[in-house]
């Protein structure tokens, strides 16, 4: 079923349910995932398409809508898609990570069903299996505010979804072979904008059209493999209005850094003389700077864009100072009404007592000559049975140990790395502080599924408890990703009120693939429907739970 039919179905459901209860609308999607050929960097190569496209279809919805995506896996390998930043309240069953779901086998289909509960904002989906992310299967998921809830800016004339990122000319299987062989995939070959790249002066079709005098919303996600990017428009400032689901205090920026896994929205006013203008995207913190452009055309004009491009940020401290300063300008708009992802009270998150501090130090090392990445010395390996399922079926003790890593790592952490399923056992509703301390000389980017967290601080050096006095306890942005700059630490806080098995991971995909990830198991002691949805009847089962009778459902 295609989206044109959606209106009809949504209408039908609304009409048929309004008398009973005001059920939230449904959106149905049918996605065919296939290989195809595209040239993101100008070289034809195999990519992963959804309904013949990369980027895949935009999921455009409103808070609390129900989303059903029937995914047909026509690849030659098992596939899972995750919905980065969608919280799946009480429903980690559909989170799409290898620790929560059995993959969709080639030649079969599976329907994801979830609700975008109490969320607004810009997110993206991507494959978590193998190195598929390197080849595509990626797209934007955008959640609008409900009609009666005011948004702190005027309705834009149109909105444009933009997937950005680095790209490798090697295919996903070659990249996986390199990693399986214990080596790094190295640097990317270039950057793309919505699956295309072009250099200044090249004859390319405009990607977007502006009408003079109007305002447009661009939603950007960096869905790349490892590279931070900076983007900027010729002659147009951007007003940053949303970061990963939070309306923020609006500021104007000439250029914006976007680290791997991050999303944000900017407004751009079509207030310049009518002609073509470039959007420029360039890599950050790389020895060789890759850049690409796309064209915005003012309707009715035929004047080509100037070849003079806006410059990338000027660094006065090598690498990162500019980017840290920009991060610190992001403040939550406390008076903007919006669907609040977190429960009541977390608004005043600064007054909640911390019940647990989890400090994570990332490291990179070799085991038997093979490259691995770790948190606190443990490099995660997936089990053939998803952790969530073995836990739910009462077989966790056969499959993995909880809390292999200490909350407080020893000082020589990372000298040695061990391989193990890395699962933290968390107490339901604890208010936790997670510290990421990056002693490596490259930027990191970390993401937590199932939650948004308050990103309260980023500072150089090592973390210690007295650093808490520097936290932003007033208006830190509630988001799902935090960058951790070289030699810096970052602190985030959240209430673990969403029962489930949730991936905490590096968004840099070779690090993820080689173990820099863990799962937080948030078990509600009640095993009750109040706290967690039931295992969906359609859930795929695999590994040791394949043929087991399903446990009694929650009540
Ligand atoms: C996306 O959804 C919003 C809110 O329902 C709607 O106003 C807008 O027209 C939709 N955009 C597209 C491209 O369908
Ligand atoms: C597979 O697709 C068919 C046809 O749309 C649908 O009826 C069926 O429910 C889907 N199966 C799963 C497991 O989602
Ligand atoms: C914050 O939100 C309020 C309420 O919607 C809005 O009026 C105000 O302009 C916003 N402030 C900034 C700086 O974005
Ligand atoms: C937080 O801890 C302090 C000191 O231990 C205590 O006085 C206060 O009541 C606690 N606050 C809350 C909200 O639990
Ligand atoms: C994990 O937490 C649950 C609930 O808080 C508790 O019952 C269980 O004993 C814990 N398991 C381990 C291994 O810590």
């Amino acid at each position: 079923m295609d989206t044109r039919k959606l209106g009809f179905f949504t209408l039908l459901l609304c009409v048929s349910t309004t008398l009973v209860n005001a059920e939230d609308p449904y959106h149905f999607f049918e996605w065919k995932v296939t290989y195809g050929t595209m040239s993101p960097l100008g070289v034809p190569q195999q990519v992963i398409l959804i309904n013949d496209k990369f980027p895949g279809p935009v999921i455009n919805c409103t808070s609390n809508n129900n989303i059903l995506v029937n995914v047909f896996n026509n690849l030659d390998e098992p596939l899972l898609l995750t919905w980065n930043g969608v919280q799946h309240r009480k429903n980690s069953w559909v989170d799409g990570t290898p620790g929560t779901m059995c993959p969709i086998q080639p030649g079969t289909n599976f329907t994801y069903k979830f609700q975008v509960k109490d969320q607004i904002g810009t997110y993206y989906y991507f494959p978590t299996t193998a190195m598929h992310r390197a080849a595509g299967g990626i797209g934007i998921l955008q959640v609008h505010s409900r009609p009666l809830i005011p948004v702190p800016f005027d309705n834009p004339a149109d909105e444009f979804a933009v997937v950005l990122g680095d790209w490798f000319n090697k295919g996903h299987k070659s990249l996986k072979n390199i990693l399986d062989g214990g080596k790094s995939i190295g640097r990317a070959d270039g950057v793309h904008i919505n699956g295309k790249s072009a250099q200044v002066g090249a004859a390319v079709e405009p990607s977007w059209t502006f009408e003079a005098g109007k305002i447009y919303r661009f939603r950007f996600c960096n869905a790349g493999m490892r590279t931070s990017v900076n983007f900027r428009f010729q002659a147009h400032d951007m007003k940053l209005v949303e970061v990963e689901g939070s309306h923020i205090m609006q500021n104007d920026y000439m250029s914006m850094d976007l680290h791997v896994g991050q999303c944000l929205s900017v407004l751009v006013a079509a207030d310049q003389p009518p002609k073509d203008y470039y959007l420029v995207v360039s890599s950050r913190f790389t020895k060789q700077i890759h850049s690409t452009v796309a064209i915005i055309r003012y309707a009715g004009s035929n004047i080509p864009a100037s070849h003079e491009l806006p410059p990338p940020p000027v660094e006065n401290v090598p690498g990162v100072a500019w980017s840290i300063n920009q991060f610190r300008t992001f403040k939550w708009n406390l008076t903007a009404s919006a669907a609040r992802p977190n429960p009541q009270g977390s608004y005043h998150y600064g007054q909640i007592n911390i019940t647990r501090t989890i400090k994570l130090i990332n490291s990179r090392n070799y085991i038997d000559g093979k490259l691995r990445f770790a948190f606190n010395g443990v490099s995660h390996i997936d089990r053939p049975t998803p952790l969530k399922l073995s836990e739910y079926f009462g077989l966790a003790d056969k499959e993995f140990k909880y809390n292999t890593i200490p909350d407080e790592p020893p000082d020589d952490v990372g000298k040695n790395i061990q391989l193990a399923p890395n699962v933290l056992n968390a107490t339901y509703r604890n208010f936790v502080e997670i510290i990421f301390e990056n002693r490596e000389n490259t930027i990191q980017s970390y993401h937590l599924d199932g939650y948004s967290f308050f990103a309260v601080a980023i500072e150089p050096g090592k973390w210690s408890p007295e650093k808490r006095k520097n936290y932003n306890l007033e208006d830190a942005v509630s988001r799902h990703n935090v960058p951790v700059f070289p030699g810096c630490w970052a602190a985030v806080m959240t209430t673990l009120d969403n029962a489930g098995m949730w991936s905490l991971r590096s968004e840099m995909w070779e690090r993820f693939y080689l173990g820099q990830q863990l799962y937080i198991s948030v078990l509600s002691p009640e095993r009750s429907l109040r706290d967690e949805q039931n295992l969906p009847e359609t859930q795929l089962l695999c590994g040791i739970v394949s043929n087991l009778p399903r446990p009694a459902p929650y009540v």
Side-chain angles (χ1 to χ4, degrees):
M1 187 180 318
D2 68 21
T3 40
R4 274 163 300 169
K5 295 191 191 143
L6 288 181
F8 170 72
F9 268 83
T10 309
L11 190 72
L12 197 70
L13 278 157
C14 289
V15 169
S16 60
T17 58
T18 37
L19 295 180
V20 187
N21 65 11
E23 200 184 349
D24 292 298
Y26 282 71
H27 295 282
F28 298 89
F29 298 88
E30 196 167 282
W31 285 2
K32 301 242 180 314
V33 184
T34 57
Y35 288 123
T37 303
M38 273 182 63
S39 309
L41 300 183
V43 184
Q45 66 182 102
Q46 187 189 64
V47 294
I48 294 175
L49 304 175
I50 298 179
N51 294 352
D52 297 324
K53 287 197 229 138
F54 169 69
V58 174
I59 295 186
N60 181 43
C61 58
T62 299
S63 305
N64 296 358
N65 284 176
N66 293 292
I67 311 293
L68 277 90
V69 190
N70 187 359
V71 178
F72 288 77
N73 176 11
N74 295 337
L75 304 181
D76 54 352
E77 296 182 346
L79 173 74
L80 277 176
L81 294 175
T82 195
W83 319 89
N84 208 65
V86 174
Q87 290 178 11
H88 301 306
R89 304 292 302 172
K90 311 180 187 180
N91 190 12
S92 69
W93 306 116
V94 293
D95 199 37
T97 50
T100 54
M101 296 181 78
C102 303
I104 309 167
Q105 295 302 320
T108 70
N109 66 303
F110 171 79
T111 307
Y112 285 89
K113 179 174 186 225
F114 55 90
Q115 191 180 15
V116 285
K117 184 89 183 125
D118 296 334
Q119 289 191 269
I120 56 113
T122 307
Y123 309 100
Y124 71 103
Y125 57 82
F126 70 92
T128 57
T129 31
M131 283 299 271
H132 295 151
R133 177 175 166 138
I138 299 168
I140 301 244
L141 187 157
Q142 55 195 34
V143 190
H144 290 267
S145 286
R146 297 213 273 183
L148 294 177
I149 299 183
V151 171
F153 47 87
D154 291 338
N155 237 348
D158 204 349
E159 50 183 34
F160 304 124
V162 191
V163 173
L164 302 173
D166 58 8
W167 194 266
F168 288 76
N169 282 329
K170 287 195 182 77
H172 71 89
K173 289 184 186 175
S174 313
L175 293 170
K176 181 171 177 290
N177 284 341
I178 294 171
L179 296 176
D180 290 343
K183 296 201 168 57
S184 167
I185 56 174
R187 300 188 186 101
D189 296 303
V191 289
H192 72 92
I193 301 173
N194 273 345
K196 297 188 182 122
S197 59
Q199 295 310 311
V200 171
V204 288
E205 286 299 304
S207 299
W208 308 282
T209 304
F210 278 7
E211 281 183 42
K214 299 209 162 151
I215 293 180
Y216 296 89
R217 179 178 190 166
F218 283 83
R219 297 175 182 261
F220 289 101
C221 291
N222 181 342
M225 298 288 287
R226 59 175 295 166
T227 312
S228 297
V229 297
N230 179 273
F231 63 87
R232 47 206 184 268
F233 292 92
Q234 251 177 347
H236 295 75
D237 279 356
M238 307 175 258
K239 191 183 289 296
L240 181 64
V241 294
E242 178 251 337
V243 172
E244 289 154 27
S246 290
H247 288 137
I248 68 162
M249 296 301 277
Q250 295 164 20
N251 277 312
D252 291 331
Y253 296 87
M254 288 165 65
S255 78
M256 188 66 65
D257 273 0
L258 195 63
H259 308 293
V260 182
Q262 300 185 341
C263 297
L264 50 75
S265 305
V266 296
L267 299 182
V268 179
D271 57 3
Q272 294 299 306
K275 55 186 250 198
D276 288 359
Y277 295 91
Y278 284 122
L279 165 69
V280 189
V281 174
S282 56
S283 60
R284 293 280 275 151
F285 323 132
T286 52
K287 277 207 187 90
Q288 188 192 349
I289 296 185
H290 296 290
S291 64
T292 182
V293 296
I295 287 180
I296 293 158
R297 173 159 297 169
Y298 275 57
S301 92
N302 59 0
I303 306 172
S306 152
H307 288 186
E308 205 172 305
L309 296 183
V314 178
E315 302 285 2
N316 37 25
V317 177
V320 300
W322 188 96
S323 202
I324 295 181
N325 286 341
Q326 186 172 69
F327 175 91
R328 288 183 179 150
T329 63
F330 304 161
K331 310 275 187 206
W332 204 19
N333 185 340
L334 300 176
T335 60
S337 45
R340 294 246 180 255
N342 286 309
Q344 280 186 334
S346 65
Y347 203 154
H348 300 292
Y349 65 94
Q351 286 152 35
I352 308 176
N353 289 335
I354 296 166
T355 34
R356 182 171 177 190
T357 299
I358 301 165
K359 181 172 159 188
L360 299 174
I361 298 182
N362 49 289
S363 61
R364 166 198 177 100
N365 213 325
Y366 291 85
I367 297 181
D368 300 331
K370 290 185 159 190
L371 180 63
R372 295 294 304 189
F373 295 93
F375 277 133
N376 292 0
V378 177
S379 185
H380 173 82
I381 41 171
D382 288 322
R383 299 286 305 151
T385 310
L387 305 164
K388 176 66 184 169
L389 294 181
S390 52
E391 185 184 65
Y392 178 72
F393 279 80
L395 299 170
D397 53 348
K398 291 204 168 51
E399 287 287 293
F400 62 91
K401 282 196 177 60
Y402 290 102
N403 305 325
T404 308
I405 63 170
D407 281 6
E408 173 64 36
D411 220 51
D412 65 349
V413 63
K415 286 260 151 40
N416 296 299
I417 291 186
Q418 57 162 311
L419 297 176
N422 202 0
V423 188
L424 288 180
N425 189 9
T427 305
Y428 187 53
R429 299 220 160 104
N430 261 7
F431 186 66
V432 298
E433 170 191 48
I434 305 172
I435 314 294
F436 296 97
E437 197 174 285
N438 178 14
R439 299 178 182 177
E440 297 184 69
N441 60 9
T442 50
I443 186 172
Q444 311 301 331
S445 173
Y446 295 115
H447 163 92
L448 174 60
D449 276 358
Y451 293 91
S452 61
F453 46 56
F454 295 95
V456 295
I458 293 187
E459 285 191 11
K462 292 188 178 173
W463 181 85
S464 58
E466 61 272 18
K467 304 281 185 185
R468 288 185 184 129
K469 69 180 187 307
N470 300 344
Y471 286 5
N472 175 356
L473 296 180
E474 298 292 327
D475 55 3
V477 178
S478 172
R479 57 188 301 174
H480 57 70
N481 177 290
V482 69
V484 193
F485 297 90
C488 292
W489 56 267
V492 303
M493 294 170 143
T494 194
T495 303
L496 296 179
D497 62 346
N498 191 13
M501 178 73 75
W502 302 109
S503 162
L504 173 66
R505 60 174 176 258
S506 174
E507 280 286 294
M508 303 172 104
W509 222 239
E510 92 174 355
R511 287 179 174 260
F512 173 84
Y513 185 81
L514 293 180
Q516 203 164 86
Q517 50 160 314
L518 56 78
Y519 285 85
I520 301 185
S521 168
V522 183
L523 281 177
S524 143
E526 309 294 339
R527 277 179 91 95
S528 132
L529 268 182
R530 191 199 58 200
D531 301 331
E532 188 168 23
Q533 293 184 24
N534 269 316
L535 176 75
E537 277 175 25
T538 53
Q539 195 81 353
L540 300 172
L541 299 181
C542 54
I544 59 167
V545 304
S546 301
N547 299 311
L548 295 183
R550 293 176 177 230
Y554 299 143
V555 284

